Amino acid sequence: MKPTKTAALEARLKQLRQTFRAQLPARLDTLLNQNKQLAWQPENLQIVAELHRLTHSLAGAGGSFGYHQLSDQARILEDALIKLINEGEPVGKQARQAISLKLDKLRDLSLKEPEGEEQYAQRPVFSNMEFDLAEQDNLLYII
């Protein structure tokens, strides 16, 4: 890959990481608000499905941008939510408390700096692959 394309891609990845970091508080607020709705409507499995969707997205993006502990914790919550969805029953008080504890842990982890941030700046990205910059943008938005 030509140095200018590598530099452009690295700059774009850095920008995406910064955007993810800036959006993290809003993502957590959305999860917490969904959890509050679940407390009022424990029979509404659509809320659980939305919590799952949001958690799945957070887990994937977090891992992609160096928040590995956050991603791991989100996967734990995601697994618990899948079990609740599969049960198809109203979400009991104990399960709601467990969700709240997992969300508290996610919030705490979101305040930490990502692990391995320095690795992003030092390692070449796609060093042995050739991409047109327009193709790179399409690939990046999938994350």
Side-chain angles (χ1 to χ4, degrees):
M1 184 180 289
K2 297 176 185 171
T4 55
K5 286 186 178 184
T6 300
L9 181 56
E10 298 256 351
R12 182 70 178 126
L13 286 171
K14 182 177 180 179
Q15 179 185 31
L16 288 170
R17 280 191 305 279
Q18 290 170 342
T19 299
F20 174 78
R21 186 180 301 167
Q23 292 174 347
L24 242 146
R27 284 179 178 240
L28 267 291
D29 285 346
T30 301
L31 281 165
L32 293 169
N33 287 333
Q34 287 292 314
N35 193 45
K36 286 178 187 174
Q37 287 184 15
L38 185 60
W40 288 99
Q41 300 175 26
E43 73 287 346
N44 189 341
L45 294 182
Q46 289 181 339
I47 296 171
V48 180
E50 181 63 8
L51 274 167
H52 171 263
R53 185 189 69 75
L54 294 166
T55 303
H56 178 78
S57 174
L58 181 64
S64 296
F65 296 120
Y67 287 83
H68 302 294
Q69 290 179 349
L70 178 98
S71 179
D72 292 344
Q73 183 62 34
R75 294 264 185 246
I76 291 169
L77 176 55
E78 181 183 7
D79 290 344
L81 293 167
I82 288 170
K83 287 179 186 174
L84 292 172
I85 291 168
N86 289 338
E87 288 173 5
E89 300 287 328
V91 181
K93 184 177 181 179
Q94 189 175 10
R96 290 192 314 269
Q97 288 173 338
I99 291 168
S100 293
L101 289 173
K102 288 174 176 63
L103 286 171
D104 287 344
K105 191 163 186 175
L106 277 176
R107 187 189 59 235
D108 293 345
L109 289 169
S110 74
L111 300 174
K112 292 184 174 184
E113 290 296 315
E115 303 93 18
E117 175 94 3
E118 67 283 348
Q119 291 175 354
Y120 285 113
Q122 295 173 1
R123 68 176 166 83
V125 178
F126 303 121
S127 61
N128 60 351
M129 303 168 114
E130 284 293 326
F131 289 105
D132 181 295
L133 281 179
E135 289 177 308
Q136 290 169 5
D137 279 348
N138 289 336
L139 291 173
L140 294 174
Y141 287 112
I142 293 171
I143 298 172

